[in-house]
Amino acid sequence: MWELACSVTDPEMPMLTLEDLGVLRDVREEADGVVVTITPTYSGCPAMATMRDDLVHRLRDAGHAARVEVALTPAWSSDWITERGRQALRDHGLSAPGPAPAVTGPVLLDLFPTRRAIACPRCGSDAVSLTSEFGATACKALYRCTDCLEPFEHVKEI
Amino acid sequence: MDSPYDGLLEHHDVVGDDSQWAFGTDFEDPLAGVDTTVPAGLDAAELAAYCLMLGDDALVLSHRLSEWCSNAPDLEEDIALANCALDLLGQARLLLARAAAADPSVVPVLPEGSPVPAEDALAFFREAVAFRCHRMVEVDNGDFAQTMVRLLLFSTVRLAAFEQLSTHADPVLSAIAVKGVKELSYHRDYAARWFVTLAQGTEESARRLAAGLDALWPLYAELAAAYEAGPAADVVLDQVLAVAGVERPDRPPRAGTGHTEALSRLLAEMQVVARAHPRGQW
């Protein structure tokens, strides 16, 4: 059952399975069917509804009644993206997140553009510049490689 | 599959009636499976009122920020503001759903058999007077500078409050807060960077920033008091003001309480379709 749920991919980043993304938390069989637990990446991520539908349909197609539940705790962290997921991101031209910021005490104000030690997923150059902290989906920032001049997306640390 | 449109229909025979309330299509309960029992020692009505306050502020500011869609100075800011709006909408959904689960009596009564879920009933079927949001989030966007000032003031206060709420006795509210802290940190720093940039930009950008700050400052005290943000928010604001070289405005809080006329106009636009088709399904 876990393998079946694992075969569902993220609707926005289809190179990642929900397991690779770290949102798939639990799959268990109960009397009335399979219960899959997922954790939202961002509070408003619109892909969550599609993930829910895809999970239910994938399991139903295999003959299992299924429902999806939400676990809010612990909150999703980009650290949960698996090593295989990170490699899949790089293989598809996206930059994988670094370690999520440790939360100890108040979140300090940062008035400078976030500095990340990342490399261009196309040419490998570390001469990259941040275009925007916000991208086409809630989880990504926009970058540009100043060597090969190609834009690319970086999955944010959270 | 013969046609891509078949994909839209393929599961109907398995699932049965897939029709959903038109305005809640694809949106299932954001708290599905979450234990929403109110812990002993907490007053359910107070918890619901507090969650409504936090949820209504997020919903209304989310709507205001979304008004920038396709109108921002450039594509990157358009996307950034839409991202912030989306995060706040997500927080609003969770908080309204939490309020409804804690105290179902806060949810407007709809006709028997209505397909409208509780969070949507709260968003679309309450009058302005029942909303618990603050005047700071209601007023019109103004220009880009004023929008950045509001996002800075709001996210600074809300971030400080959410950091405290991370250990709240209600595990649902604390989970929403833990998640919100991560999102609000991005919003606050984004707005703070624009605040400094505009303050130190051209004469015109500095003038507009000062005007935006002047317009919104009288509404700051009300928001900060409601969120009990304490000195944490003031420390951050003073840091931003110092780096930007902008004086803290010397303007008294705006008198009175309640809502602005702007909220009624905003709700009229936000609610009109849902109210016209309370049983709308597709």
Side-chain angles (χ1 to χ4, degrees):
Chain A
M1 217 56 72
W2 175 264
E3 273 79 39
L4 208 52
C6 283
S7 66
V8 177
T9 55
D10 178 88
E12 300 282 358
M13 296 186 286
M15 72 294 278
L16 291 186
T17 67
L18 298 188
E19 183 192 29
D20 286 335
L21 185 58
V23 302
L24 190 65
R25 306 305 292 162
D26 186 45
V27 181
R28 63 181 193 277
E29 288 186 70
E30 293 194 352
D32 59 342
V34 182
V35 181
V36 181
T37 307
I38 58 175
T39 293
T41 50
Y42 285 71
S43 302
C45 178
M48 296 309 292
T50 311
M51 288 181 197
R52 260 193 297 237
D53 280 359
D54 290 350
L55 279 165
V56 167
H57 288 145
R58 183 68 50 89
L59 287 157
R60 275 181 185 159
D61 287 348
H64 306 284
R67 70 169 193 275
V68 177
E69 294 189 341
V70 174
L72 298 179
T73 312
W76 183 82
S77 161
S78 50
D79 288 348
W80 294 359
I81 300 177
T82 62
E83 195 40 57
R84 187 180 60 185
R86 286 161 199 271
Q87 191 54 50
L89 286 173
R90 287 188 286 266
D91 290 346
H92 288 80
L94 277 84
S95 159
V103 183
T104 47
V107 184
L108 298 179
L109 178 72
D110 186 358
L111 286 173
F112 295 98
T114 310
R115 263 193 293 269
R116 302 179 175 96
I118 61 176
C120 170
R122 289 172 214 282
C123 73
S125 166
D126 55 8
V128 298
S129 75
L130 177 69
T131 309
S132 173
E133 276 296 332
F134 299 92
T137 68
C139 55
K140 288 179 284 192
L142 292 178
Y143 272 83
R144 196 174 73 96
C145 173
T146 51
D147 273 342
C148 75
L149 302 181
E150 285 291 330
F152 65 92
E153 293 180 309
H154 172 75
V155 178
K156 285 191 276 196
E157 298 76 13
I158 189 171
Chain B
M1 207 182 291
D2 296 327
S3 144
Y5 294 105
D6 291 347
L8 297 171
L9 302 169
E10 66 181 330
H11 293 289
H12 276 233
D13 53 331
V14 189
V15 182
D17 180 13
D18 249 359
S19 63
Q20 300 176 63
W21 187 52
F23 311 99
T25 302
D26 270 351
F27 286 88
E28 285 182 41
D29 179 8
L31 294 178
V34 174
D35 181 2
T36 52
T37 315
V38 176
L42 283 183
D43 182 291
E46 270 179 32
L47 176 66
Y50 191 69
C51 288
L52 274 186
M53 182 271 275
L54 295 174
D56 287 346
D57 271 343
L59 178 65
V60 171
L61 187 57
S62 169
H63 189 88
R64 282 286 179 233
L65 289 171
S66 73
E67 290 174 345
W68 277 103
C69 254
S70 79
N71 292 315
D74 62 40
L75 189 56
E76 281 75 19
E77 304 323 315
D78 212 294
I79 292 170
L81 290 165
N83 265 279
C84 296
L86 190 59
D87 285 342
L88 290 177
L89 186 63
Q91 293 177 17
R93 292 190 59 204
L94 289 161
L95 287 159
L96 295 187
R98 204 303 160 249
D103 180 5
S105 74
V106 299
V107 183
V109 178
L110 291 167
E112 188 75 23
S114 163
V116 181
E119 53 166 316
D120 284 355
L122 283 166
F124 295 124
F125 293 91
R126 272 183 302 160
E127 305 292 335
V129 68
F131 272 73
R132 304 185 74 94
C133 52
H134 297 96
R135 292 177 289 181
M136 167 74 86
V137 299
E138 298 170 5
V139 292
D140 291 340
N141 279 322
D143 59 12
F144 183 76
Q146 187 167 331
T147 298
M148 283 302 129
V149 171
R150 170 156 63 184
L151 189 58
L152 173 66
L153 297 178
F154 178 77
S155 49
T156 300
V157 164
R158 193 168 170 97
L159 178 56
F162 272 34
E163 285 176 329
Q164 296 173 38
L165 292 173
S166 298
T167 53
H168 193 273
D170 175 32
V172 183
L173 179 54
S174 83
I176 296 169
V178 167
K179 187 85 222 165
V181 163
K182 296 172 177 228
E183 295 160 354
L184 292 163
S185 308
Y186 272 102
H187 305 181
R188 182 195 65 183
D189 290 3
Y190 163 73
R193 286 166 198 159
W194 264 116
F195 190 97
V196 173
T197 301
L198 294 170
Q200 299 183 346
T202 63
E203 215 170 273
E204 175 69 359
S205 73
R207 183 188 66 75
R208 286 179 176 236
L209 184 80
L213 187 60
D214 249 20
L216 291 169
W217 193 257
L219 300 176
Y220 175 70
E222 178 183 63
L223 188 76
Y227 278 72
E228 297 175 73
D234 277 325
V235 167
V236 170
L237 278 186
D238 283 339
Q239 282 176 332
V240 178
L241 290 169
V243 174
V246 174
E247 295 276 316
R248 191 181 260 261
D250 182 22
R251 289 173 64 89
R254 188 180 297 176
T257 53
H259 294 299
T260 59
E261 191 188 329
L263 178 65
S264 301
R265 288 196 299 271
L266 180 149
L267 292 181
E269 186 183 314
M270 191 176 84
Q271 297 179 333
V272 63
V273 181
R275 282 177 181 253
H277 305 283
R279 290 171 180 275
Q281 290 192 321
W282 66 5

